[in-house]
């Protein structure tokens, strides 16, 4: 694709080649994205042409002063309406007339050989020369004395009234060819921020290799990015610092919205977030006040295209209808669906909502302020796209086989684990939580493990697997049950690996600890075929599955998605910007994996995980949701186990086998997530291995790197300071250490996140398949006579009443729809060569191999999905497993691995 575009551009004249970098070069319907290296090449050729046209000859005499020309590309901001844009354009026009412009100062790589001081910069004004649909071009000319040497950096001052987004600067006229600077950064007006912005060339330098003329600037730029840890951050700041999660509650508006501080204590350990520095609340001095805007460093904010994703997805999902009508529904927030036919209508003709009552802010207007701008549809109709799973099989969610299959190939493939010990026992204190022995006995299990006489034999042959949410959830059961409209159990679900390579559910155990003077309660439920009382047991089994699915949905969203990808990545983003210069090769390697992470995490703190936010209102743990996430971080999270091979081994899903592909033998051979994930893991690791070994041929260079070592120290001791003393943190002494660390970070941000994110609507868009909350206890737990008769007479209604309410279901369907959506500007792992990687032929060749391998993997996954013998990823009514396919188009596709954990 890239070669075809490049060939096409190279056969165009210089003017067209220059135009090709904007959207006007190709028809809007072509959907072609010009690779950055091609784009910059076209600009360079344009600069050369201008130079030759103006000077008549090229400057090849090394004894004469060098004439250089710069092309500066500025991205136009899409924000504001017609009036705003007219005013902005008018102001910019006046500023140009009175000489307001961009001031560039060229910085030499070298110190003055006589004085050993930095050489004097060469200053020039850059004036606007051309405007495109979304870009503005500035040009500046410079005359450099022969002793100036090579340009290593540019200082930029913005004399305009507004901030400007600099995309790139290209210089030409030098004997060694053009000099590229990739900026991709906002530059504030000099009158608001007098500090000159520095941009370095795309060439990578380890700290010890930094050209002498750039060392001071490299160090000073990092100092600016670190800040001094004081004051409240402004939206225009570029400061990265740490703080605890002390802004989830809002006690000043309601004391019931007070939430514990996560991080900085033994009771609630947690990764750190980016510091905002707001004032603390009056009601709780430990909590930070919430505001309309949640600070993220200026360069971390969403692009215009990604920001518009929320608008487009929201309109298509019917948010406008909800906003017009939701207050009427909220007169009874517990209103559920009366029948499965009512659920079906929200995908077919939609269902009519009552008119809005009153003028007060409704639920979504309070909790989703960024989305209400899209509401302009006056129809009171709510209609969602039919998820692909439902399109293929209306009753897919009924199936026990699908229930088991989704533990291997659904949206949460990280929880299934091997049963290693028998009998099953809790590790919680029996004096508090009751007897530790599980109610799942051999008498329940052994009749159904065909081909094995005893459980011990099945365990020895690695045939028993489990979803174990017992000890994690049980401590929260009593607290959660004090809240109206939700309930909770500890749960275990046991599966048997059949000869066909699929999992078969054997039993579900639900446990309630001693509560309100009542002793511990626990019960085992089995599939209907195991029981003489078929009809009653069938509905009890379905209800038990609903509870387990709600547990799985909560663990997925709060732990395997939010905690393990978003929250734990934030300290890596902050530390990388604080400790690694943009010139550092490891910064350039990591940067794609960090893009937009702080922005999406900030949005989550604003509307999703905050007190009384969407997660609390829609998931079983309610106000204890983030406490549960903290407990999981404390008990379960280890950096070394985030590496896919280590995770599979830890869960008993794989064993080390040097003779097996990837050095691992899977205990479940047909495990789509692991099968495909290991291909991606190996491809990432090979790319990173070649990259790291190129810059660090010996361990001594690693150990002496004055930026890399503080980076790793700060991640452990500050960003994840609550776990700083854990023995499992890897050392950073050798190239292998660095390869393992970077591969784990890259995997977590890209493939791990993709595996748990982009099929949320596919599997959760029809909520009976994955109810995010179960609101009522199971009928067999201390039932009254009336409750039991109601269940016996109408078990379907009992199941419907246990499901999420209408507002809970539709809200989460909306959220899943947005989170599952790929924006048009999504950049997928290994898709495009970065300018800095193109600067080095060795790195460029490595990346091209990486890109080629990812394309091969796509073909391998397609062939696996076509193999009828791989039953966990192929079959009638089953959505093929494509989460690990690297590339995707926009929309909800169920595939595609973006670089970072942004949606």
């Amino acid at each position: 694709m890239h070669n075809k575009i490049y060939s096409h551009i190279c056969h165009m004249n210089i003017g067209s080649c220059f135009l090709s970098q904007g959207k006007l070069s190709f028809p809007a319907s072509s959907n072609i994205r010009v690779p950055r290296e091609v784009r910059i090449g076209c600009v360079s050729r344009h600069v050369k042409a201008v130079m030759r046209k103006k000077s008549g000859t090229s400057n090849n005499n090394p004894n004469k002063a060098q004439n250089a020309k710069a092309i500066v590309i500025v991205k136009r901001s899409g924000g504001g309406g017609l009036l705003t844009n007219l005013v902005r354009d008018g102001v910019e026009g006046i500023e140009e007339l009175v000489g307001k412009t961009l001031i560039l100062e060229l910085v030499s790589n070298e110190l003055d050989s006589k004085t050993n001081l930095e050489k004097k910069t060469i200053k020039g004004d850059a004036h606007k020369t051309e405007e495109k649909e979304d870009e503005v071009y500035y040009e500046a000319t410079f005359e450099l004395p022969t002793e100036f040497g090579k340009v290593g950096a540019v200082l930029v001052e913005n004399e305009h009234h507004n901030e400007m987004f600099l995309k790139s600067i290209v210089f030409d006229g030098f004997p060694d060819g053009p000099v590229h600077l990739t900026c991709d950064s906002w530059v504030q007006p000099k009158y608001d921020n007098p500090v000159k912005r520095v941009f370095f060339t795309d060439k990578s330098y380890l700290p010890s290799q930094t050209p002498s003329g750039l060392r001071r600037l490299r160090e000073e730029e990092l100092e600016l990015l670190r800040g001094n840890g004081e004051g409240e951050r402004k939206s225009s700041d570029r400061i990265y610092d740490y703080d605890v999660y002390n802004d989830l509650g809002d006690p000043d508006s309601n004391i019931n919205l007070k939430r514990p501080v996560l991080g900085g204590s033994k009771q609630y350990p947690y990764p750190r977030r980016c510091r905002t520095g707001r004032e603390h609340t009056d009601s709780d001095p430990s909590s930070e006040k919430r505001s309309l805007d949640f600070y993220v460093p200026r360069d971390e904010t969403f692009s215009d295209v990604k920001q518009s994703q929320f608008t487009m997805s929201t309109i298509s999902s019917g948010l406008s209808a909800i906003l017009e009508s939701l207050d009427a529904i909220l007169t009874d927030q517990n209103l559920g669906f009366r029948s499965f036919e009512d659920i079906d209508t929200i995908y077919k003709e939609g269902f009519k909502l009552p008119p809005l009552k009153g003028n007060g802010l409704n639920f979504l207007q309070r909790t989703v302020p960024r989305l209400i701008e899209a509401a302009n549809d006056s129809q009171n109709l709510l209609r969602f796209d039919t998820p692909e799973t439902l399109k293929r099989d209306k009753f897919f969610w009924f199936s026990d086989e699908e229930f088991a299959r989704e533990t291997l190939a659904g949206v949460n493939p990280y929880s299934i684990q091997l049963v290693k010990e028998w009998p099953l026992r809790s590790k919680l204190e029996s004096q508090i939580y009751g007897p530790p022995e599980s109610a799942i006995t051999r008498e329940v299990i052994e009749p159904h493990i065909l081909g094995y006489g005893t459980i011990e034999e099945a365990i020895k042959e690695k045939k028993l697997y489990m979803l174990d949410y017992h000890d994690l959830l049980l401590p929260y059961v009593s607290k959660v049950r004090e809240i109206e409209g939700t309930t909770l159990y500890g749960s275990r679900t046991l599966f048997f690996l059949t000869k066909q390579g699929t999992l078969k559910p054997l039993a579900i155990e639900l446990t309630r600890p001693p509560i309100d003077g009542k002793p511990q309660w626990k019960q085992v439920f089995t599939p209907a075929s195991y029981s003489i009382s078929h009809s009653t047991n069938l509905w009890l089994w379905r209800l038990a599955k609903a509870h387990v699915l709600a547990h799985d949905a909560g663990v997925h969203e709060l732990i395997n998605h939010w905690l393990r990808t978003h929250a734990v990545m934030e300290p890596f983003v902050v530390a990388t910007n604080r400790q690694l210069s943009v010139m550092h090769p490891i910064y350039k390697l990591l940067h794609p994996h960090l893009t937009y992470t702080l922005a999406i995490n900030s949005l989550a703190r604003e509307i999703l995980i905050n007190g009384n936010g969407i997660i609390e209102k829609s998931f079983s743990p309610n106000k204890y949701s983030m406490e549960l996430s903290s407990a999981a971080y404390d008990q379960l999270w280890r950096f070394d186990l985030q590496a896919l091979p280590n995770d599979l081994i830890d869960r008993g899903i794989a064993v080390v086998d040097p003779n097996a592909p990837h050095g691992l033998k899977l205990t479940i051979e047909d495990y789509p997530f692991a099968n495909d994930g290991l291909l991606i893991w190996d491809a990432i690791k090979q790319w990173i291995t070649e990259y790291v070994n190129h810059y660090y041929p010996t361990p001594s260079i690693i150990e002496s790197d004055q930026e890399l070592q503080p980076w790793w120290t700060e991640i452990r001791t500050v960003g994840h300071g609550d776990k700083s003393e854990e023995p499992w943190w890897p050392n950073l002494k050798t190239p292998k250490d660095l390869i393992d660390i970077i591969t784990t970070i890259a995997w977590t941000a890209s493939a791990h996140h993709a595996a748990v994110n982009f099929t949320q609507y596919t599997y959760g868009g029809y909520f009976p398949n994955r109810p995010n909350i179960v609101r009522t206890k199971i009928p067999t737990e201390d039932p009254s006579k009336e409750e039991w008769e109601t269940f016996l007479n109408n078990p379907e209604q009992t199941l419907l009443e246990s499901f999420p309410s209408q507002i809970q279901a539709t809200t989460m369907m909306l959220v899943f729809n947005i989170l599952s959506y790929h924006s048009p500007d999504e950049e997928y792992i290994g898709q495009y060569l970065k300018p800095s990687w193109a600067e080095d032929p060795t790195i460029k060749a490595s990346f091209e191999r990486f890109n080629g391998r990812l394309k091969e993997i796509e073909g391998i996954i397609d062939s696996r999905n076509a193999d009828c013998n791989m039953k966990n990823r192929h079959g009638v009514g089953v959505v093929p497993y494509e989460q690990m396919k690297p590339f995707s188009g926009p929309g909800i596709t169920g595939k595609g691995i973006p670089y970072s954990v942004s949606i």
Side-chain angles (χ1 to χ4, degrees):
M1 178 70 172
H2 293 180
N3 291 336
K4 289 181 180 178
I5 296 172
Y6 190 85
S7 175
H8 172 70
I9 293 173
C10 289
H11 284 85
M12 299 168 70
N13 60 42
I14 291 297
S16 297
C17 180
F18 180 59
L19 286 174
S20 71
Q21 100 86 37
K23 289 184 180 178
L24 297 177
S25 304
F26 302 99
S29 61
S30 67
N31 219 8
I32 293 177
R33 178 176 177 181
V34 182
R36 181 174 249 151
E37 66 270 24
V38 175
R39 238 171 36 223
I40 293 175
C42 292
V43 175
S44 298
R45 289 192 292 279
H46 173 73
V47 174
K48 290 179 180 178
V50 172
M51 291 290 292
R52 286 195 297 270
K53 183 175 179 181
K54 292 193 174 185
S55 65
T57 61
S58 61
N59 185 14
N60 293 324
N61 187 342
N63 296 320
K64 292 183 178 180
Q66 300 178 89
N67 293 317
K69 177 171 286 291
I71 297 291
V72 183
I73 303 176
V74 175
K75 185 181 183 301
R76 296 181 71 109
S77 174
L82 175 62
L83 180 60
T84 300
N85 291 334
L86 286 173
V87 171
R88 179 198 64 200
D89 293 343
V91 170
E92 289 180 357
I94 294 172
E95 289 175 339
E96 290 291 332
L97 286 174
V98 299
K100 300 294 184 181
T101 181
L102 288 173
I103 300 175
L104 308 183
E105 291 184 52
L106 309 191
V107 180
S108 174
N109 263 351
E110 308 163 2
L111 295 177
D112 189 300
S113 58
K114 296 180 180 178
T115 64
N116 205 33
L117 300 175
E118 294 175 5
K119 294 180 180 179
K120 185 178 180 181
T121 59
I122 307 297
K123 184 178 292 190
D125 291 344
H127 295 275
K128 187 188 300 181
T129 59
E130 196 168 4
E131 294 188 44
K132 302 288 173 29
E133 180 181 350
D134 61 351
E135 292 176 346
V136 181
Y137 293 81
Y138 289 76
E139 290 186 8
T141 57
F142 300 88
E143 185 173 307
L144 281 69
T146 55
E147 65 274 10
F148 186 79
K150 294 182 179 181
V151 173
V154 177
L155 302 177
V156 178
E157 287 183 289
N158 173 15
E159 290 193 326
H160 289 85
H161 178 74
N162 297 315
E163 63 177 6
M164 305 178 75
F165 187 82
L166 260 64
K167 295 183 70 174
S168 62
I169 305 172
V170 180
F171 290 92
D172 220 326
F174 302 115
D176 295 336
V179 174
H180 302 291
L181 296 87
T182 302
C183 305
D184 287 339
S185 180
W186 291 94
V187 179
Q188 302 303 317
K190 62 182 292 187
Y191 310 104
D192 293 335
N193 188 347
V195 179
K196 299 175 184 177
R197 284 297 310 279
V198 58
F199 295 101
F200 300 99
T201 64
D202 287 342
K203 186 173 175 58
S204 297
Y205 295 101
L206 295 174
S208 61
Q209 299 167 347
T210 309
S212 57
L214 306 179
R215 289 173 184 167
R216 178 185 61 85
L217 288 176
R218 179 171 184 154
E219 294 173 1
E220 289 183 354
E221 176 69 0
L222 284 174
E223 290 177 3
L224 288 173
L225 291 170
R226 293 173 193 141
N228 59 10
E230 299 177 359
E232 182 175 353
R233 300 273 62 85
K234 304 187 301 293
S235 61
S236 60
D237 286 344
R238 296 170 56 246
I239 295 176
Y240 298 78
D241 202 357
Y242 301 95
D243 207 342
V244 294
Y245 279 73
N246 60 354
D247 64 344
L248 300 179
D250 190 9
D252 280 352
S253 67
N254 186 336
I255 196 61
N256 292 324
L257 293 181
K258 179 181 177 181
R259 295 293 181 268
V261 174
L262 304 185
S265 68
K266 291 184 178 180
Q267 185 178 8
Y268 299 115
Y270 218 62
R272 300 300 188 264
R273 65 168 175 91
C274 186
R275 180 183 175 275
T276 55
R278 290 168 293 186
E279 293 182 357
H280 285 216
T281 63
D282 298 326
S283 304
D284 178 17
S286 65
S287 297
E288 196 172 74
K289 287 185 177 180
R290 296 173 62 83
S291 61
L292 294 178
D293 295 315
F294 277 47
Y295 166 79
V296 294
R298 187 66 183 98
D299 292 339
E300 304 290 337
T301 52
F302 287 136
S303 68
D304 291 340
V305 174
K306 187 167 282 289
Q307 187 68 53
S308 70
Q309 169 189 341
F310 293 98
T311 301
M312 297 305 295
S313 297
T314 300
I315 291 175
S316 67
S317 300
L319 175 63
S320 54
I322 299 175
L323 292 174
E324 288 294 320
S325 312
L326 206 53
D327 271 358
I329 286 181
L330 291 181
T331 58
D332 182 5
Q333 294 190 30
N334 295 319
L335 180 65
F337 290 91
R338 293 173 297 179
S339 67
F340 284 97
E341 288 74 18
D342 276 356
I343 298 173
D344 291 341
T345 60
I346 66 180
Y347 308 102
K348 296 177 181 178
E349 64 268 23
F351 73 87
K352 198 77 173 178
L353 300 176
L356 179 69
K357 293 182 179 179
N359 298 318
L361 289 176
N362 61 35
F363 167 64
L364 283 180
Q365 285 175 319
R366 289 194 302 269
T367 57
V368 197
R370 295 194 181 200
L371 301 181
I372 65 173
E373 296 176 3
N376 54 16
D377 188 347
S378 60
Q379 296 183 24
N380 295 333
L381 189 68
L382 175 61
R383 182 167 56 228
F384 285 88
D385 294 333
T386 304
E388 187 63 27
T389 42
L390 195 61
K391 289 180 183 177
R392 291 174 179 246
D393 184 351
K394 181 179 179 180
F395 298 103
F396 80 103
W397 68 282
F398 263 13
S399 164
D400 286 347
E401 289 78 8
E402 178 64 9
F403 168 53
R405 189 193 73 86
E406 287 184 24
T407 66
L408 302 173
V411 72
N412 185 32
Y414 271 99
S415 289
I416 191 73
Q417 58 181 289
L418 180 71
V419 175
K420 302 176 183 178
E421 297 178 351
W422 190 267
L424 303 176
R425 290 176 59 90
S426 171
K427 296 180 181 179
L428 298 174
E429 294 182 43
S430 59
Q431 292 180 344
I432 299 175
Y433 300 105
E437 295 81 12
S438 171
I440 302 178
T441 63
R442 67 175 64 248
E443 290 75 20
V444 172
I445 300 302
E446 287 183 344
H448 308 289
I449 51 175
L450 301 180
Y452 296 90
T454 66
I455 285 179
E456 286 77 9
E457 290 177 14
I459 290 176
K460 182 178 179 181
E461 294 298 317
K462 296 181 170 53
K463 296 297 181 181
L464 288 183
Y465 294 84
M466 179 169 54
L467 291 177
D468 186 1
Y469 301 137
H470 185 278
D471 285 10
L472 180 66
L473 297 181
L474 202 62
Y476 291 89
V477 170
S478 298
K479 294 191 291 187
V480 167
R481 287 189 172 207
E482 294 175 358
I483 303 170
E484 184 180 357
T486 185
T487 193
L488 195 63
Y489 293 98
S491 70
R492 297 184 181 97
T493 306
L494 216 59
F495 301 88
F496 174 65
L497 181 63
T498 68
K499 292 180 179 180
Q500 292 75 34
T502 60
L503 291 178
K504 180 179 75 171
L506 294 176
I508 290 172
E509 178 185 28
L510 300 180
T511 304
R512 182 207 69 197
I515 186 173
D516 296 333
K518 299 177 182 179
Q520 181 196 70
W521 175 91
K522 63 178 68 168
Q523 185 172 345
V524 176
F525 303 86
T526 57
S529 60
Y530 298 179
S531 173
I532 298 175
S533 178
H534 183 274
S535 179
T536 300
N537 193 69
L538 170 65
W539 284 103
L540 287 174
W541 171 252
R542 287 175 178 168
L543 283 161
K545 276 204 306 184
H547 281 279
V548 168
L549 287 166
H551 301 166
D552 190 71
V555 169
H556 161 256
E557 201 66 67
L558 292 167
I559 299 171
N560 290 334
H561 183 201
W562 162 256
L563 173 66
R564 291 183 61 185
T565 65
H566 287 270
V568 300
M569 278 299 298
E570 185 143 346
F572 290 97
V573 180
V574 175
T576 299
N577 284 278
R578 285 170 54 86
Q579 299 296 342
L580 299 183
S581 165
V582 294
M583 305 171 75
H584 201 293
I586 299 303
Y587 176 93
K588 295 179 186 294
L589 179 61
L590 282 174
H591 184 258
H593 295 290
L594 312 179
T595 306
Y596 298 143
T597 298
L598 297 189
I600 190 62
N601 287 3
S602 173
L603 185 60
R605 298 200 330 269
E606 188 176 352
I607 64 174
L608 290 175
I609 62 173
N610 59 300
N612 212 34
I614 289 175
I615 295 296
E616 284 194 1
K617 281 184 169 288
S618 305
F619 284 80
S620 294
N622 199 277
K623 65 184 287 186
Y624 301 104
S625 293
M626 290 303 290
E627 284 190 40
L628 177 63
S629 178
S630 170
Y633 178 70
D634 182 31
Q635 299 169 30
L636 305 176
W637 188 84
R638 293 173 44 157
F639 178 80
D640 59 330
L641 295 184
Q642 306 314 297
L644 178 61
N646 295 349
D647 168 70
L648 296 174
I649 293 169
D650 182 65
R651 288 191 282 128
I653 303 295
V655 294
V656 176
D657 184 350
N659 298 318
H662 320 290
L664 295 177
K665 181 180 179 181
L666 296 177
T667 58
I668 303 175
E669 292 184 8
D670 185 10
Y671 183 3
F673 162 68
N675 294 136
D676 297 354
L678 286 169
L679 293 174
I680 298 295
W681 171 272
D682 283 355
I684 293 172
K685 187 169 185 177
Q686 184 58 38
W687 151 241
I688 290 172
T689 297
E690 294 177 12
Y691 190 102
V692 168
N693 286 339
H694 177 67
Y695 288 103
Y696 295 98
T698 65
S700 61
I701 305 176
I702 294 270
E703 294 188 88
S704 62
D705 191 317
Q706 297 175 356
E707 291 178 2
L708 190 67
Q709 291 297 333
W711 168 78
W712 185 234
T713 298
E714 186 170 286
I715 286 168
R716 292 181 290 109
T717 62
V718 183
H720 286 279
D722 297 335
K723 286 181 170 281
S724 62
E725 301 302 319
E726 297 288 351
W728 39 255
W729 284 107
N731 294 315
L732 182 50
K733 296 182 178 180
T734 68
K736 182 184 181 302
D737 295 337
L738 183 58
I739 290 165
D740 290 342
I741 289 168
I742 300 297
T743 303
T744 300
I745 295 171
W747 164 265
T748 301
S750 58
H752 178 154
H753 179 260
V756 299
N757 185 70
F758 292 106
T759 55
Q760 291 193 82
Y761 193 73
T762 302
Y763 292 106
Y766 185 70
F767 67 86
N769 185 56
R770 286 183 67 78
N772 41 284
I773 186 173
V774 171
R775 298 184 293 158
T776 59
K777 64 184 178 66
I778 202 156
T780 53
E781 184 200 335
D782 303 330
S784 65
K785 181 179 179 181
E786 182 180 357
E787 288 172 338
W788 185 247
E789 289 180 352
T790 299
F791 164 67
L792 291 178
N793 292 331
N794 195 345
E796 180 177 306
Q797 189 60 38
T798 300
L799 180 61
L800 284 165
E801 289 176 356
S802 73
F803 279 158
S805 66
Q806 290 189 17
I807 180 59
Q808 289 169 330
T810 52
T811 299
M812 285 314 303
M813 288 164 62
L814 170 66
V815 172
F816 291 154
N817 186 283
I818 294 174
L819 295 180
S820 299
Y821 193 94
H822 287 297
S823 68
D825 71 337
E826 197 89 85
E827 187 168 350
Y828 301 95
I829 187 170
Q831 187 176 23
Y832 297 119
L833 180 67
K834 299 296 179 184
S836 61
W837 302 340
E839 287 280 320
D840 190 304
T842 301
I843 298 302
K844 181 180 179 181
S846 293
F847 178 83
E848 289 170 349
R849 287 191 291 273
F850 180 43
N851 174 266
R853 178 55 179 159
L854 292 174
K855 292 176 180 176
E856 291 176 6
I857 290 172
E858 290 221 321
I860 294 171
I861 292 174
D862 285 337
S863 66
R864 287 175 172 175
N865 285 335
D867 185 349
C868 294
N869 293 318
M870 305 188 80
K871 298 181 182 298
N872 291 324
R873 65 193 309 149
H874 179 279
V876 177
V878 173
V879 175
Y881 189 81
E882 296 186 314
Q883 281 97 309
M884 292 292 96
K885 290 187 74 171
F887 309 117
S888 172
I892 299 175
T893 65
K895 58 185 176 182
I897 303 177
Y899 270 111
S900 68
V901 299
S902 69
I903 58 176

